[in-house]
Amino acid sequence: MPELSHGRRMLVLAICCMSLLIVSLDNTVLNVALPSLQRELDASTSGLQWTIDAYTLVLASLLMPAGSTADRIGRRRVFLSGLVVFTLGSLLCSLAPNLNWLVVFRMVQAVGGSMLNPVAMSIITNTFTDPRERARAIGVWGAVVGLSMAAGPLVGGLLVDSVGWRSIFWVNLPVGLAALLLTWRFVPESRAPRARRPDPVGQVLVIALFGSLTYAIIEAPHGSWLSTAPFAALAVIALLALLRYEPRRPEPLIDLRFFRSAPFSGATVIAVSAFAALGGFLFLSTLYLQNVRGLSALEAGLWMLPMAVPTFLCAPLSGRLVGSRGPRLPLLVAGGAMTVSGLLFALFEAETSNATLLAGYVLFGVGFGFVNAPITNTAVSGMPLSQAGVASAVASTSRQLGQTLGVAVLGAVLAAGVGSSSYADTFVTASRPGWWILTACGAGVLTLGVLTTGPWARATAERTARRLESEERPPRRTGVGA
């Protein structure tokens, strides 16, 4: 990749951040639109779950192969393809005639989204070769995630109240087209010197595992045991097959050797727990604010700002703490804040008082703001440089899987509790088990933050790195001609 001028590098960063903004904004904006969408399309609770999970599920399934494909055939080419597919998917979502087609078009969106974020990070890494410049660029990248969290509820509420839920997908069209034209003109092509080989069998097993597990969870409250048990069984079979098949490949889709490192295993579970809490928190909050309190989409968006703003403000502080003191302190703050937030809802019914509701939102925002930076740092801690990208991709996949499971599990709990009653009559009682699950997720972040960041955990990471390096190093030749 040719050396670019400073201005050109900043432009490449801006283009990559545009793609991240529309992909990240899409979910937070859609959450505020769920009650409006529910009324217009006559959607059930499970239907609302699928509008969120269809997107995050496909994204989780395709993130890792999208990154390796871009390394192999060209990052700019895959990035351009992702922008086309995501923008087209957004247009189709805005035209969806019913819920089923909306879910299908959300999956199209996600196929495009899977080609954007991991590939954009590769482009940034290869554009900013100076370590200090690269660190600043990644900091800007992380701030965009916080911006999408802060702006999403407000933008979504304003659009839904003024134009309608379909307008939330129109926002992606001008941004996607602008990013497409700018990428075509200014982003140079790049490839990895040696790309990982594709693993189609592993990919099929991952899709079968994620998809069947999510379906079984979402549909369990609405169908008979016989209708969901086959999908649960398929998830177990796919998991066992993955555990047996992947270690036999020289370049597996998921390298199970990584899990010998306690920091890596901890980061994976922390990512699933934290993002499950986020997905469930947004899902429950938007339904409560609009369907129980009767607020408009804009008013609900304003109520969620006390969660979004601390997330935006705490994310860079967490990054600085990780750089100066390591990941333990940010993880402890994150886990503690999320746990207390969950307890406010589970024990004290925070929904019934404005003061406790506000405190619950602020605490959750602080906790989530602190958790994101140490996840990637802990995942790649001690890994060989040649494996850092793959380890980071697993962490990104864990985030999406966590959000998928959070919406699936908490939505299923809520649907089982509400039954045929109205939300207004039963929501607080029906959602209480969900808040206990969120509390457990926060406690999991706190506990793993302690266990996977100490001396013992670092020692396991160092041993894992040495094994990976020794297994990758070619055998030394001996004898004549050596």
Side-chain angles (χ1 to χ4, degrees), residues 158-293:
L158 187 62
L159 287 172
V160 171
D161 273 359
S162 59
V163 185
W165 68 265
R166 296 178 188 274
S167 63
I168 65 176
F169 298 106
W170 297 344
V171 175
N172 299 332
L173 304 184
V175 179
L177 289 173
L180 181 66
L181 295 174
L182 290 169
T183 301
W184 186 273
R185 175 67 180 83
F186 295 107
V187 176
E189 185 60 280
S190 64
R191 293 177 176 84
R194 179 183 172 277
R196 293 171 63 85
R197 285 180 287 182
D199 181 8
V201 175
Q203 184 59 54
V204 170
L205 290 174
V206 166
I207 292 173
L209 171 60
F210 291 175
S212 56
L213 177 62
T214 304
Y215 183 89
I217 294 171
I218 289 178
E219 298 300 330
H222 311 285
S224 66
W225 181 85
L226 289 175
S227 65
T228 54
F231 291 93
L234 178 59
V236 173
I237 292 169
L239 175 60
L240 294 175
L242 200 64
L243 293 175
R244 181 174 177 80
Y245 175 77
E246 289 297 282
R248 300 169 182 266
R249 284 187 56 83
E251 290 184 338
L253 180 70
I254 302 174
D255 196 331
L256 300 180
R257 297 174 299 174
F258 288 177
F259 291 94
R260 299 170 185 167
S261 164
F264 178 84
S265 298
T268 302
V269 180
I270 287 170
V272 171
S273 299
F275 278 77
L278 173 67
F281 192 96
L282 292 175
F283 190 80
L284 292 180
S285 293
T286 192
L287 292 179
Y288 168 74
L289 291 171
Q290 295 185 59
N291 286 355
V292 180
R293 285 207 168 191

Side-chain angles (χ1 to χ4, degrees), residues 400-465:
Q400 297 301 328
L401 177 62
Q403 194 164 350
T404 302
L405 293 177
V407 174
V409 172
L410 269 75
V413 168
L414 179 66
V418 170
S420 59
S421 305
S422 69
Y423 278 180
D425 296 332
T426 58
F427 185 93
V428 173
T429 302
S431 63
R432 190 174 299 168
W435 293 116
W436 278 114
I437 293 171
L438 288 183
T439 303
C441 288
V445 172
L446 180 64
T447 304
L448 289 170
V450 174
L451 295 177
T452 63
T453 56
W456 166 80
R458 288 194 293 271
T460 66
E462 290 166 3
R463 286 197 300 271
T464 301

Side-chain angles (χ1 to χ4, degrees), residues 66-390:
S68 60
T69 300
D71 287 342
R72 187 166 53 255
I73 70 173
R75 299 181 180 108
R76 176 177 176 269
R77 179 182 299 177
V78 172
F79 191 69
L80 285 168
S81 301
L83 286 168
V84 170
V85 175
F86 186 86
T87 305
L88 177 61
S90 299
L91 176 62
L92 292 173
C93 285
S94 72
L95 302 174
N98 54 50
L99 184 71
N100 290 336
W101 278 112
L102 178 60
V103 170
V104 171
F105 296 149
R106 286 281 287 166
M107 296 172 75
V108 174
Q109 259 193 317
V111 172
S114 71
M115 292 186 270
L116 294 180
N117 287 3
V119 180
M121 179 55 75
S122 295
I123 291 172
I124 290 172
T125 302
N126 283 272
T127 299
F128 293 87
T129 54
D130 177 72
R132 295 183 65 183
E133 266 201 342
R134 182 184 296 168
R136 286 194 292 269
I138 293 175
V140 172
W141 172 266
V144 173
V145 177
L147 178 63
S148 70
M149 282 289 299
L154 195 58
V155 171
L158 187 62
L159 287 172
V160 171
D161 273 359
S162 59
V163 185
W165 68 265
R166 296 178 188 274
S167 63
I168 65 176
F169 298 106
W170 297 344
V171 175
N172 299 332
L173 304 184
V175 179
L177 289 173
L180 181 66
L181 295 174
L182 290 169
T183 301
W184 186 273
R185 175 67 180 83
F186 295 107
V187 176
E189 185 60 280
S190 64
R191 293 177 176 84
R194 179 183 172 277
R196 293 171 63 85
R197 285 180 287 182
D199 181 8
V201 175
Q203 184 59 54
V204 170
L205 290 174
V206 166
I207 292 173
L209 171 60
F210 291 175
S212 56
L213 177 62
T214 304
Y215 183 89
I217 294 171
I218 289 178
E219 298 300 330
H222 311 285
S224 66
W225 181 85
L226 289 175
S227 65
T228 54
F231 291 93
L234 178 59
V236 173
I237 292 169
L239 175 60
L240 294 175
L242 200 64
L243 293 175
R244 181 174 177 80
Y245 175 77
E246 289 297 282
R248 300 169 182 266
R249 284 187 56 83
E251 290 184 338
L253 180 70
I254 302 174
D255 196 331
L256 300 180
R257 297 174 299 174
F258 288 177
F259 291 94
R260 299 170 185 167
S261 164
F264 178 84
S265 298
T268 302
V269 180
I270 287 170
V272 171
S273 299
F275 278 77
L278 173 67
F281 192 96
L282 292 175
F283 190 80
L284 292 180
S285 293
T286 192
L287 292 179
Y288 168 74
L289 291 171
Q290 295 185 59
N291 286 355
V292 180
R293 285 207 168 191
L295 302 181
S296 68
L298 179 57
E299 290 169 332
L302 290 170
W303 253 106
M304 292 172 73
L305 280 179
M307 180 205 69
V309 172
T311 298
F312 176 64
L313 296 176
C314 292
L317 174 59
S318 175
R320 287 195 291 272
L321 282 174
V322 170
S324 61
R325 302 187 60 177
R328 172 171 281 195
L329 180 59
L331 287 175
L332 296 184
V333 173
M338 293 170 74
T339 302
V340 175
S341 173
L343 287 173
L344 283 177
F345 288 92
L347 281 179
F348 303 104
E349 296 185 354
E351 304 100 324
T352 58
S353 163
N354 285 343
T356 51
L357 184 65
L358 180 65
Y361 282 0
V362 169
L363 282 169
F364 189 88
V366 170
F368 191 76
F370 271 94
V371 81
N372 214 12
I375 288 175
T376 301
N377 176 274
T378 308
V380 302
S381 174
M383 288 289 175
L385 289 177
S386 60
Q387 300 284 1
V390 182

